[in-house]
Structure formats: structure tokens, C-alpha cells
Amino acid sequence: MSTTESILEEPQAFLPHASVAAYAAISGMDAYRALVAEAERDYPAFWARLARETLQWKTPFSSVLDESRAPFYEWFRDGTLNASYNCLDRHVEAGNGDHVAVIFEADDGTVTQVTYRALLERVCRFANALRTRGIKKGDRVVIYMPMSIEGIVAMQACARIGATHSVVFGGFSSKSLNERIVNVGAVALVTCDEQMRGGKALPLKNIADEALAMGGCEAVKSVIVYRRTGGKVAWHEGRDLWMHELTQAEEGTCEPEWVNAEHPLFILYTSGSTGVPKGVQHSTGGFLMWAAQTMKWTFDAKRSDVFWCTADIGWITGHSYIAYGPTAIGATQVVFEGVPTWPNAGRFWQMIAKHRVTVFYTAPTAIRSLIKLAESDPKVHPDRFDLTTLRLLGTVGEPINPAAWTWFYEHVGHSHCPVIDTWWQTETGGHMIAPMPGATPLVPGSCTLPLPGIMAAVVDETGRDVPNGQGGILVIKRPWPSMLRNVWGDPDRYTKSYFPEELGGKLYLAGDGAVRDEDTGYFTITGRIDDVLNVSGHRLGTMEIESALVANPLVAEAAVVGRADDTTGEVVVAFVVLKGKRPTGDDAIAIANELRAWVGKEIGPIAKPKEIRFGENLPKTRSGKIMRRLLRSLAAGEEITQDVSTLENPAILDQLG
Ligand code: WTA
């Protein structure tokens, strides 16, 4: 039985709407299967074709995939190109300079539009300014910016001169920012005076000053500041420079630096199993090709679309589907500075109506929290807004539960927009497993099938395929062009984390569990299999939070686990042993608040534990290993049914429960 036929029998399967299928780049399952077969037939030829079709190369590549240094794969290595040229100049040269590139809506609702021609000019001025400051190809520039046109300009300007950017999410603390600046060896920092979110100003420049003062940042010679609010900031003469003053003095054209396809376009830090975040290093050619190709396949996006991805440029989604993907295909996109719940929870729906958004891409957490608010206040219910321009919806970052999926489908998509559940990661650079809107029958809760060319599979602990219907470890069997190239400065960690010996050393280990449907082969992601939590779609390492907690002078020991949550997917629960005596009552509340604030300072507010429980000890085996699965059960409020006979101190469970 073919995939399409068998899924038709599933009561909850949603077939592509005729109108969507007719318009789609991949129309019908036969077209999808033909692409899958093309990739299987001649893997390098398939990718070479896409890379030639989606990008404009300065010098064409002759080598497609070089596996001689596996797992350090190289794609299109002898080709040269420039990412910013492909995202901007290309469209202006084709006569589309007046097409709107970005519709920016500020926190207070003010709207600014910028065309491709204007965006190119701004990128060129800023690129020239970076060059004037001595920044050149291969240098690293950290960008600590709010959602803004200027943030995109900064990223594209780095790409234009061959500098490698590393964007740090504006919600990270000065300590996290410092660690990233030091690790990446930045020579410049681009930031802004203050960030506006939900009517509140956050002093990014002050935080950046603190980060730079913590030491190890001596290489940072330029701090370029975008003036957003005009709020008061401290100024270090000679080092600090206003973005608008620098760019005024520069020309509006700038010859791009033609780089090798493997040249690192950016480094983005993400959480892993240890206390230290990893700098995920991406290439120029492979990354950009896939950002553009997935825009066309997964979102079926065209130049005429008004695309809106609500992610932040500080995360991978904001790299692939704000800064690069939409511009690479010349589409119009909405960029939003604020938050979905301010001034009220109708903000997203109101903005979709106002800007006539056609493709809307957001996170399950946002949907779940907006459902709650809409159900309790009809004024902010999507039914109240004109959402008729929408033709496609997408989700990312965490599993979407069928109830939220269905609400999104019915109330936002009016039962005719496909909901595209996209599974991917910082490391994968772009979508990996997702439905094709004009082809794949949708099943709520499943990200369905791999994109053509992506060899996803479910295996056991030894790397052997498991049959459909049986859970296992999600892997990718062959390298693909947009995969990460390295962990910045730590090739050993790259190999060990992503191509572990236990699986044979050749499979890419995603760190997620998955199961495939027995009939359809559809993938359902069952969550992380490592010590990484997913809170509101943000990746957090339990070890990172534990290291932050034990850095507090009061704390002797800490263990952090996740607990399932209806809205945010997971919440952080910390079990803490103090150096002094175990606090109770008001003392416990006060110390818990102090520790929460501490974690906010050490990492950022997103990492604050929702709950902190104090014990005289933690449940440990006789060999001293913390039994995390017991802590997970305690956090969930479950009765302990597991075997506790190996536990050194079983009585501790009562104290922590
Ligand atoms: C999770 C975000 C289920 C997963 C693009 C993955 C998902 C991690 C989905 C990567 C999805 C992302 N369904 N889980 N559609 N998308 N995840 O690096 O655990 O911030 O490994 O990249 O988010 O998070 P990251």
C-alpha cells in the first residue's frame, strides 16, 4: 500500500487542499517521491542540482561532497559565492529592487518598510563601516541585538565582508554574553542602547558593558551601538561608536567578499549535555542553499508572499527563516520587535490582518498560551480578526500536541491552511522532517516525512534500524549540505557529540527520540534523549543550570530536571542542597527566589527554575551517582515505583517529594 493510500484510512489525516496542491512547488505525493528517488539514485548530483538552481555562484563548484575528512564533510568546496549578494543584489539586479523586503513592526505598533534596494544600501554602508574599523574576512563579530531591521543589516553586512557573525539572544545575561564573546574570539560587538518589549525597555548596552568588563574581551576593539530608544548609556570613547554616525560617513555600495562555500557564515551557541554551550559552526554555501530551498519546499514560498516567522534572530530559526531564507528567495517578510501578549493577546492576529500575512510560522508554546487567553477573552480570539490572507501555517521548536494543532488549524487557518510541523535543530541549519504542503497528508502531532535528500532513520543503541512502530534514536544516515561543520574550537566535541562511536561513527545523532508509524512511516518526535530541556522551544542544558546554581555561595549541590507542562512543554525543576541547613517555610521561599534571580543573572531569565526543592542530600547510588530518573518522577509528582534498592539514602525521597 502506498503512503498516501494507507494514510487515507487514518481518521485524523488531513489531505492537502486542492488550492494548495495546485499552487505548490511539490504537488502530490508522486512529485515528492520522485525527488526522494532522485536523491537516492545519485546523491551528489541531486544536491549539486539544487545548489546550482537556488544560488548564484561567483565561481562554480566542481566538487560536490568531499568525505575524505569525515565526519568533517565539505560541500561545494571549490565554489565561491557571497551570502549577502545572493540575498540582496541578486534581486535588485533582476529588477526587483522596489519589492518590499521587510515590514518592521515596532513594539508600539509603528511600522517601517524597507525595499530590497534600500536594504542593500544599508547593508553596504554598514559593511563599509566594518571594513573601515579594520574588520575583515574571518574575523568574528558578536551581535547582541533586538528584533530589528538593524539586526538583519548587521548579520548581512558581516556576510558581505566575509566576517563570521555570532548572534547572542538579547535575553541572555552579561555572563552568558561574556562567555560567548570570549569563546568565539570576537573583535567587535554590535548592540543597541535599549531593547523594547511589551512596553518595557531593557538596557542591552549596559549589559554588554558589563559583559566586556568581565575580562577576556580585550580583542573587542569596536562596540557599535544602534540607537533604538535614545535612553542613557555609558560611553567608552574610542571603543563605542553609534551605528548611524558610522554608516552616514560611508558609501552605499560595497564590493562583496567572494568566499569559499565552506567559509563559516556564522557560529551560533546552543546547549548540549555539558555545562558549556557549543558554538555550532555553519558554512556559507550549504547553509544558504538549504535555507532557500526549504523556503520553497516546506513553506512553498514565492516572492509574492508575506512571510512571518515570529522567532528571534538570536536563535537558529531567526537565522534560517528571517535573516537568510526569506531574503534569499526575494520574499516580503514581517519582522516584529515585541511580544505576542502586548498590548493584548490579539497582537499576532491583528498583525496578520494588518500586514496581509500569507505564511505564518511560530512556536507551539506561543499557540498554547494564546489558546488559553483567547478562550477566556473573546476580544483576542483569532475568530475576531480577518485572517483570510493566510494560506499556510508552520510550527517549530518542540512537539505540537494534537489539540493545539487542531485549534491552530481551525481558528487561525480556517481549516484550509496546512499546518507544517517542522522538525530540525540549530545543528541541521534548516528543516529536516516536515510535510510538503501540496503533497503530504497531515497527521496532527507528527512532523511526517523527511525532506527529499534527508536520510532520517530510527535506530537502537547500537545503530541498527528498528522496525516502524518501535521507538528509538533519531539519526541522519548521510551528511547533508546545511549540517553544522564543527563545534567552534572543539572538533573533538563535534565528533563525540554528533558521530558517536557507539553508533558506528557514521550516523549523525540528533539527540532526540522518535518513532515511525507502522503503516505510514511517519515520524513522531518523542523528545530529547540527552540532558537537554526544551522550555518554550528554547534549548537549555540541565548541566548549565546546575553549574550556575552551584556557583552560588549558598549552594553545595544541585540537580536539575524537566517536568512536562501544558503551556511551555517543559519547566525547569531544581533540587538543591545548601551548604548550611535545609531551609523550610519562609526561609525556603526567600532562598528559592534568590537562587532564581541568580540563575537569571548567570544565564538569562529563560533558564530560571520554575520550582526549587531543598533537601539535605540528593538521591544517590552507593557509588555516588545522582539518580535523575527518580528526580524526574519526584518533579512530576509521580509515585516512585522504580527499584530504589541501589539507593544509598532512600529516606531522602520523602524529603524531596
Ligand atoms: C526540538 C530549533 C518536536 C527537538 C529549530 C530538537 C522539535 C530541538 C521540533 C532543537 C518539532 C524542534 N517537533 N521537537 N517540530 N522542532 N524540536 O536547536 O528536541 O533550538 O532537537 O532548534 O528542538 O532545538 P533548536
Side-chain angles (χ1 to χ4, degrees):
M1 209 187 292
S2 79
T3 308
T4 334
E5 280 162 348
S6 62
I7 193 106
L8 288 176
E9 293 163 9
E10 291 273 332
Q12 15 35 327
F14 295 81
L15 287 176
H17 239 255
S19 60
V20 178
Y23 180 86
I26 300 180
S27 186
M29 284 307 274
D30 285 345
Y32 165 77
R33 275 190 288 265
L35 285 163
V36 171
E38 183 192 340
E40 272 163 10
R41 210 164 40 238
D42 188 341
Y43 198 64
F46 168 79
W47 289 114
R49 176 174 76 76
L50 296 186
R52 288 189 189 107
E53 283 173 10
T54 43
L55 300 180
Q56 199 157 319
W57 296 81
K58 181 71 175 173
T59 34
F61 53 87
S62 61
S63 161
V64 181
L65 169 59
D66 184 342
E67 302 188 79
S68 57
R69 291 174 54 245
F72 298 89
Y73 300 100
E74 293 182 295
W75 286 92
F76 322 119
R77 53 171 301 176
D78 58 347
T80 65
L81 77 166
N82 180 279
S84 137
Y85 177 85
N86 271 277
C87 295
L88 304 168
D89 308 57
R90 203 166 41 141
H91 310 308
V92 177
E93 285 168 14
N96 297 317
D98 294 329
H99 195 59
V100 174
V102 177
I103 303 169
F104 174 71
E105 181 160 323
D107 192 50
D108 68 1
T110 310
V111 175
T112 320
Q113 294 202 355
V114 47
T115 63
Y116 272 94
R117 191 191 320 285
L119 189 59
L120 170 61
E121 190 192 315
R122 288 171 71 167
V123 168
C124 286
R125 284 183 194 279
F126 195 58
N128 286 328
L130 293 174
R131 277 190 178 147
T132 303
R133 293 296 297 175
I135 298 157
K136 54 184 193 311
K137 180 180 168 190
D139 285 342
R140 273 86 58 208
V141 175
V142 167
I143 298 176
Y144 185 59
M145 294 276 271
M147 289 299 289
S148 53
I149 295 172
E150 287 71 12
I152 298 171
V153 167
M155 294 166 82
Q156 289 274 354
C158 287
R160 194 160 192 93
I161 65 165
T164 300
H165 61 69
S166 186
V167 184
V168 177
F169 174 57
F172 275 121
S173 69
S174 53
K175 179 130 188 289
S176 295
L177 177 60
N178 170 272
E179 283 164 6
R180 286 157 175 76
I181 293 171
V182 173
N183 188 282
V184 87
V187 299
L189 174 67
V190 187
T191 186
C192 109
D193 55 356
E194 293 177 307
Q195 169 176 23
M196 288 304 300
R197 275 165 69 79
K200 289 197 213 82
L202 274 109
L204 287 199
K205 170 68 163 67
N206 286 353
I207 299 171
D209 284 340
E210 265 174 49
L212 292 168
M214 282 175 186
C217 304
E218 293 69 29
V220 178
K221 298 287 183 253
S222 311
V223 175
I224 303 174
V225 187
Y226 156 51
R227 192 163 70 193
R228 166 64 185 85
T229 64
K232 212 164 133 28
V233 290
W235 209 250
H236 294 65
E237 279 310 325
R239 186 198 74 181
D240 296 357
L241 307 140
W242 287 113
M243 190 175 189
H244 61 275
E245 285 177 6
L246 282 189
T247 49
Q248 261 159 23
E250 299 288 346
E251 299 266 336
T253 57
C254 170
E255 176 63 16
E257 180 84 35
W258 304 105
V259 299
N260 224 264
E262 280 297 315
H263 182 70
L265 179 62
F266 65 88
I267 294 157
L268 181 61
Y269 285 84
T270 190
S271 296
S273 296
T274 76
V276 189
K278 3 182 207 199
V280 169
Q281 180 186 323
H282 275 288
S283 71
T284 302
F287 171 82
L288 193 64
M289 179 278 280
W290 198 231
Q293 187 62 62
T294 49
M295 283 296 297
K296 293 181 193 171
W297 278 349
T298 325
F299 297 132
D300 209 13
K302 317 272 196 290
R303 274 207 318 114
S304 53
D305 269 305
V306 179
F307 176 78
W308 183 16
C309 164
T310 67
D312 192 284
I313 52 165
W315 309 116
I316 190 67
T317 309
H319 284 61
S320 310
Y321 300 109
I322 296 176
Y324 292 107
T327 53
I329 65 154
T332 298
Q333 70 174 317
V334 172
V335 172
F336 177 41
E337 182 179 40
V339 297
T341 48
W342 196 85
N344 61 52
R347 186 75 184 260
F348 274 1
W349 324 131
Q350 184 220 344
M351 282 181 61
I352 290 170
K354 178 160 145 196
H355 301 301
R356 309 189 58 76
V357 171
T358 57
V359 178
F360 181 61
Y361 190 37
T362 195
T365 290
I367 299 167
R368 286 190 295 261
S369 62
L370 294 177
I371 292 175
K372 273 196 196 154
L373 296 162
E375 298 302 326
S376 62
D377 177 3
K379 283 199 299 300
V380 298
H381 199 286
D383 290 352
R384 279 288 190 89
F385 298 83
D386 176 9
L387 306 181
T388 49
T389 52
L390 286 174
R391 63 172 189 81
L392 194 145
L393 303 172
T395 66
V396 58
E398 46 183 322
I400 177 159
N401 49 310
W405 192 103
T406 307
W407 185 92
F408 196 38
Y409 181 74
E410 288 174 356
H411 294 285
V412 182
H414 295 141
S415 304
H416 70 82
C417 301
V419 174
I420 306 300
D421 175 355
T422 61
W423 176 84
W424 59 296
Q425 312 176 290
T426 303
E427 293 87 343
T428 70
H431 302 150
M432 299 294 278
I433 308 180
M436 298 295 101
T440 322
L442 308 171
V443 174
S446 166
C447 50
T448 74
L449 296 169
L451 269 70
I454 302 300
M455 308 299 185
V458 183
V459 300
D460 65 17
E461 294 80 47
T462 63
R464 266 197 304 263
D465 284 307
V466 301
N468 288 356
Q470 196 176 311
I473 298 169
L474 180 60
V475 296
I476 312 295
K477 292 193 161 177
R478 297 198 70 174
W480 66 102
S482 70
M483 67 190 290
L484 80 163
R485 294 302 193 267
N486 209 338
V487 171
W488 182 255
D490 199 348
D492 213 40
R493 193 169 176 196
Y494 166 83
T495 309
K496 291 203 175 104
S497 312
Y498 301 112
F499 297 92
E501 274 309 318
E502 303 83 70
L503 298 182
K506 283 198 153 43
L507 304 176
Y508 167 83
L509 174 68
D512 280 320
V515 56
R516 300 186 69 165
D517 184 83
E518 268 178 275
D519 301 320
T520 60
Y522 275 21
F523 287 74
T524 292
I525 307 298
T526 51
R528 299 288 306 192
I529 53 169
D530 54 8
D531 296 321
V532 172
L533 306 181
N534 191 326
V535 179
S536 302
H538 301 317
R539 253 168 90 165
L540 296 168
T542 51
M543 291 273 285
E544 268 174 83
I545 307 174
E546 287 166 10
S547 322
L549 283 167
V550 296
N552 185 288
L554 296 176
V555 177
E557 241 187 320
V560 165
V561 298
R563 177 176 65 214
D565 183 85
D566 280 352
T567 306
T568 60
E570 270 186 306
V571 294
V572 178
V573 179
F575 294 88
V576 171
V577 181
L578 296 184
K579 287 177 185 156
K581 86 179 201 329
R582 172 174 179 252
T584 50
D586 288 348
D587 272 358
I589 295 171
I591 296 177
N593 285 338
E594 192 180 324
L595 293 180
R596 252 193 294 275
W598 172 270
V599 173
K601 269 271 182 205
E602 289 281 300
I603 303 174
I606 50 167
K608 284 185 188 177
K610 174 100 179 182
E611 192 183 329
I612 298 184
R613 295 189 195 174
F614 296 100
E616 276 152 17
N617 206 336
L618 296 171
K620 287 179 191 153
T621 60
R622 292 200 177 89
S623 58
K625 199 169 163 324
I626 297 171
M627 292 183 75
R628 286 172 180 280
R629 60 183 171 83
L630 288 180
L631 290 176
R632 276 192 283 270
S633 301
L634 288 174
E638 291 162 7
E639 211 178 312
I640 305 284
T641 52
Q642 294 117 311
D643 175 21
V644 294
S645 57
T646 56
L647 208 57
E648 162 95 66
N649 49 351
I652 202 71
L653 297 179
D654 293 333
Q655 205 174 67
L656 295 170

